[in-house]
Structure formats: structure tokens, C-alpha cells
Amino acid sequence: MIKAEEKGPLTEKPYLDAVEKCRTLSRARGIDAAMDEQKLDAIIAPSGGPPAVTDLLYGDRGVGGSSTPAAVAGYPNITVPAGDVKGLPVGLSFFGRAWSEATLLRLAYAFEQLAHVRKPPTYAPSVR
């Protein structure tokens, strides 16, 4: 937070230039270009890896996920249950271009209705 505050206001040219570059690369030259080239209605990817036990000293050890491109572009992204790995839940993300929420909801809903993989959460005892 301190380092972010030191960067200055969000109206400065370096920040505005960085935002414009991220938007261009993630929108027109990223998601939109891929969807146009491949004639896609949506991009589907694993939401992330299965969860792991939280290390109380070092914190979570996430293996990444697929939400970054949509987040940088400011585009919609919906995640649905996609099953489990060794009893731990995993998700499937549907994302697309601006204003594609209706399409993404239809696709995500259709996947859920066909897959039937959601399991109610259980609360495992602590490993400690």
C-alpha cells in the first residue's frame, strides 16, 4: 500500500499510459483478437489449480489462474464448479469480450446442467 501510494495520483501520464497499454494488449490485441481469429463465443479455461492447505507461516501457495486476462481487460468472467481433484474443488472459467455477459451466463448454465459436478462443501478437520 505504501509503495502504491508513492506512485502518485491515478491522473499522472505514466499511469494513464500503462492503463492504455494494458487495455490495448488485453482487449484489441488479446481477447478480442483471439476470439475473432478463432470465431469463439467464449474462452474457457481452468479457474485455477485445486486448493491446498494454507501454510500458517508462508500463506497460500496459489498456482495461478485464468482470471487475469479478463480482469486486465475489464471483461466479464464467470466461474462454475468443474469437479474435484483428490476431493478438492476445481472450477471452470468462461470469459469473453465486453458486454458478453448474457452469452457467458448461458454457456456456464448449460455446462452446470450437463456436468452435474457440484458437491456441497464439507469441512475437513484441521491437519494440525
Side-chain angles (χ1 to χ4, degrees):
M1 295 288 279
I2 293 170
K3 286 185 178 185
E5 189 175 68
E6 289 171 357
K7 292 287 185 183
L10 302 182
T11 55
E12 290 189 354
K13 185 167 175 32
Y15 175 78
L16 296 174
D17 290 346
V19 168
E20 183 57 34
K21 182 178 182 180
C22 286
R23 286 187 178 156
T24 299
L25 293 174
S26 65
R27 292 178 180 183
R29 293 175 53 192
I31 293 171
D32 293 344
M35 292 183 72
D36 290 342
E37 181 180 315
Q38 299 298 318
K39 296 177 177 52
L40 303 175
D41 293 322
I43 296 173
I44 303 170
S47 298
V53 174
T54 299
D55 184 309
L56 297 177
L57 183 59
Y58 297 107
D60 293 333
R61 304 270 175 125
V63 294
S66 64
S67 64
T68 299
V72 171
Y75 284 178
N77 183 343
I78 184 170
T79 299
V80 296
D84 67 275
V85 173
K86 296 185 180 182
L88 298 172
V90 292
L92 193 62
S93 291
F94 295 75
F95 62 97
R97 61 182 84 235
W99 315 112
S100 63
E101 289 89 345
T103 298
L104 298 179
L105 287 168
R106 279 194 303 276
L107 292 170
Y109 179 76
F111 174 82
E112 285 188 292
Q113 296 306 300
L114 290 170
H116 297 286
V117 293
R118 184 190 179 279
K119 295 179 182 175
T122 59
Y123 300 97
S126 174
V127 295
R128 294 195 183 258

